[in-house]
Amino acid sequence: MNIRIFELERIQSLFENTVDYNLTESGFHPYTLEELLTAEQFKELTKRVIGYGQTNGSIQLRKNVSFLYNDVDEENVLVTNGSSEANFIACHTLLEKNDEVIMMVPNYMQIWGIAEEMGCKLKAFHLKEDNRWKPDLKELKNLITNETKMIALCNPNNPTGYTFTKEEMEQIVEIARSADAWIYCDEVYRGAELNGITIDSFISMYDKVMVNGGLSKSYALPGSRLGWLVGPKTTIADTWAYHDYTSIAAGMLSQYIGEIVLEPNKRLEILSRNRNMLNGNLKTVKLWLDQYGDIFEYVEPQAGGMLFIKYNLNINSTELAEWLRKEKSVFILAGDVYGMDKHFRIGIGERKEYIINGLDRIKEGLTERFGL
Ligand SMILES: Cc1ncc(COP(=O)(O)O)c(C=O)c1O
C-alpha cells in the first residue's frame, strides 16, 4: 500500500465513539430528519424508489448547487459522496504523476495524501500564526514554477478558521495565472462564517478554477454524505468519468434532502441556526481558555466549526490528547495530525452543554496533571 494513513480522519474514526465527550468534530451538531423536513417532505421521501437516479446528480440538486456560485449552471456541477470524494476525483482529474502541487498549510491533509500517492511533487506555503494566520503569498510566489499544475487551498480554512480577503484571492489568482496552474479550493466550510456574510467562491475569478462543497459542515448533515464539485463544463464532464469508477452516484435519498436543504429559505434557516451556535459557543470557549492566562493562545476563527489553540505546557500534543481521552474520556484533536505540535483543535459547533461538560473534563485533567 502506497498511500499514507490519513491520520486526522483515522484517529477520529478510531476514538470519537469511545468517549463521553468528543470535542474533535469540525462541523455542527447534526440534524435529524424530523427536525429538517416538513411532514409532506417526509412522506415524499418515503415514496421515492431507491434507484441509482441520475448518476452525476439530479438536475434539481445541481441547479440548486449552481445558484450558490456566479456564472455557472447545472452542467458545471458534479454531485459526489461527500466533499472528500470530490477531493479524490478532482485530484485524479487534474493531476498526473510528477506534477507539482503547492498546498496551503495547515490544512485538511486529504489532498496531500492523494497527490503524494499519485506520484506528484508537493510543496507547502504557510498561513502565518504570528500574523493572525494570514497567508504568506510571497512564499507562494517564490514556490510557483512553470511545472506547477495546481495550487490547493482550503477557504475557510480547516483548522484555523481563516478566510482570505478579496485582495488575497485576487493575488492568488494572479500567481496561478502566471504559471497557468489550476486553483483547487476546498470550500466545504463556506456558509459557516461567524459574521453571517458568505465569502466569495473562487469560481468565476479565473478559468482554471475548481471548488468543492457539501452538506457535512455548514449544513450540519455529515451523514448525508453529499458533496459536489464545481468547475468548467468540460472538466466537470471529465470528473464524471472518474465518478463512474469511484461510486457511480451519490445516494438518491440524500440528493432529495440536498434539493430541500439548498432551497434559498431553508438554506438561510440552517446557516443561521449553525451561526448562532457558533457565536454562542465561541464566547463560552474563549472565557474558559482565558481563565488560564497565557497557557492558551488562539486567533479567533472567522468561519467554520472549530478553534485551533496553541498551548504552553510541557507535553506533546498526541500525548496530551491520548492522556485526556484515556483518563478523562474527553477527546481533542492533537496538532500533530497537522504537523503542528503544541497545538490542539476543538470543535465549537456542538450543543453548548456538551461543550461545557467536555471542557470541565479537560479542566479536571489540567488540575490533576499540571496543577492548574
Ligand atoms: C476541509 C475539509 N474538506 C473535506 C472534508 C470531508 O468532508 P465530507 O466528505 O464529509 O464532506 C472535511 C472533513 O472534515 C474537511 O474538514
Side-chain angles (χ1 to χ4, degrees):
M1 185 173 94
N2 266 337
I3 200 155
R4 71 163 75 200
I5 296 291
F6 188 7
E7 284 294 336
L8 183 154
E9 282 301 337
R10 177 53 58 88
I11 199 140
Q12 284 184 257
S13 311
L14 279 174
F15 301 119
E16 62 192 357
N17 298 312
T18 67
V19 287
D20 292 343
Y21 297 103
N22 171 30
L23 298 187
T24 66
E25 271 306 325
S26 59
F28 297 95
H29 184 62
Y31 278 95
T32 60
L33 279 185
E34 200 174 32
E35 288 164 334
L36 197 67
L37 303 183
T38 63
E40 294 95 90
Q41 289 167 338
F42 193 75
K43 200 159 176 207
E44 169 64 25
L45 183 73
T46 61
K47 283 202 215 142
R48 294 257 162 151
V49 292
I50 307 175
Y52 280 112
Q54 173 134 354
T55 65
N56 61 336
S58 78
I59 295 173
Q60 187 59 55
L61 176 57
R62 284 185 291 123
K63 276 199 171 129
N64 288 3
V65 169
S66 73
F67 297 149
L68 307 176
Y69 305 88
N70 292 331
D71 311 323
V72 296
D73 62 35
E74 66 272 21
E75 287 177 36
N76 295 90
V77 180
L78 175 82
V79 174
T80 58
N81 282 279
S83 61
S84 46
E85 190 191 25
N87 286 344
F88 191 88
I89 290 176
C91 287
H92 282 270
T93 307
L94 301 179
L95 299 174
E96 281 163 25
K97 193 173 176 182
N98 292 326
D99 281 342
E100 193 175 272
V101 177
I102 308 180
M103 183 155 166
M104 80 191 265
V105 293
N107 205 331
Y108 185 68
M109 293 305 275
Q110 186 194 2
I111 287 173
W112 192 284
I114 296 167
E116 189 179 60
E117 189 269 338
M118 290 176 69
C120 299
K121 294 174 217 147
L122 282 130
K123 297 178 183 175
F125 82 99
H126 294 81
L127 298 181
K128 303 298 267 186
E129 188 167 20
D130 54 10
N131 200 11
R132 303 187 63 76
W133 296 117
K134 281 181 87 61
D136 187 346
L137 296 183
K138 277 202 190 111
E139 188 186 22
L140 175 60
K141 210 168 178 175
N142 289 335
L143 287 174
I144 200 152
T145 70
N146 286 336
E147 305 300 308
T148 307
K149 194 70 172 289
M150 181 206 271
I151 299 175
L153 308 166
C154 180
N155 189 46
N157 177 252
N158 174 354
T160 62
Y162 185 80
T163 59
F164 293 133
T165 63
K166 193 70 188 167
E167 295 73 48
E168 286 163 350
M169 291 172 79
E170 281 161 2
Q171 283 177 49
I172 293 170
V173 167
E174 279 326 299
I175 296 170
R177 205 190 293 277
S178 72
D180 197 30
W182 280 91
I183 289 177
Y184 180 71
C185 191
D186 185 328
E187 296 182 349
V188 74
Y189 291 96
R190 182 168 175 247
E193 298 78 8
L194 279 117
N195 67 4
I197 301 169
T198 302
I199 56 161
D200 286 339
S201 168
F202 272 95
I203 285 294
S204 82
M205 288 185 72
Y206 167 49
D207 52 353
K208 292 181 87 172
V209 168
M210 194 179 285
V211 304
N212 75 9
L215 299 188
S216 291
K217 308 297 176 184
S218 313
Y219 300 92
L221 291 165
S224 67
R225 306 306 307 127
L226 203 82
W228 57 81
L229 278 170
V230 182
K233 289 184 180 169
T234 50
T235 323
I236 286 297
D238 291 345
T239 62
W240 190 4
Y242 276 96
H243 189 51
D244 288 337
Y245 280 98
T246 51
S247 64
I248 307 176
M252 65 165 307
L253 297 182
S254 292
Q255 294 196 49
Y256 173 66
I257 292 166
E259 289 168 18
I260 293 167
V261 163
L262 295 181
E263 279 167 9
N265 288 340
K266 190 68 185 173
R267 177 174 172 270
L268 290 181
E269 176 196 313
I270 293 172
L271 296 186
S272 139
R273 172 252 200 197
N274 295 337
R275 184 167 61 251
N276 288 338
M277 285 171 82
L278 202 55
N279 278 297
N281 291 340
L282 181 61
K283 270 196 204 132
T284 307
V285 176
K286 273 169 50 183
L287 271 177
W288 186 90
L289 290 165
D290 293 347
Q291 72 182 308
Y292 290 101
D294 57 10
I295 298 279
F296 297 120
E297 294 172 41
Y298 56 89
V299 179
E300 278 187 40
Q302 289 150 278
M306 69 211 112
L307 188 60
F308 197 49
I309 300 156
K310 185 174 180 183
Y311 62 87
N312 298 307
L313 292 168
N314 195 16
I315 185 169
N316 159 265
S317 64
T318 302
E319 204 187 320
L320 176 64
E322 275 186 19
W323 187 79
L324 285 170
R325 179 173 59 76
K326 287 182 186 152
E327 298 299 322
K328 298 291 158 198
S329 201
V330 57
F331 192 25
I332 60 173
L333 193 64
D336 281 340
V337 302
Y338 294 99
M340 295 189 71
D341 191 16
K342 296 296 169 97
H343 290 75
F344 63 90
R345 187 189 90 181
I346 57 170
I348 54 171
E350 252 300 338
R351 291 147 303 168
K352 196 175 204 152
E353 323 76 69
Y354 186 88
I355 295 183
I356 290 175
N357 291 341
L359 292 176
D360 280 347
R361 293 287 181 91
I362 300 180
K363 191 174 172 62
E364 272 175 42
L366 292 175
T367 306
E368 209 168 297
R369 182 146 179 171
F370 303 99
L372 293 172

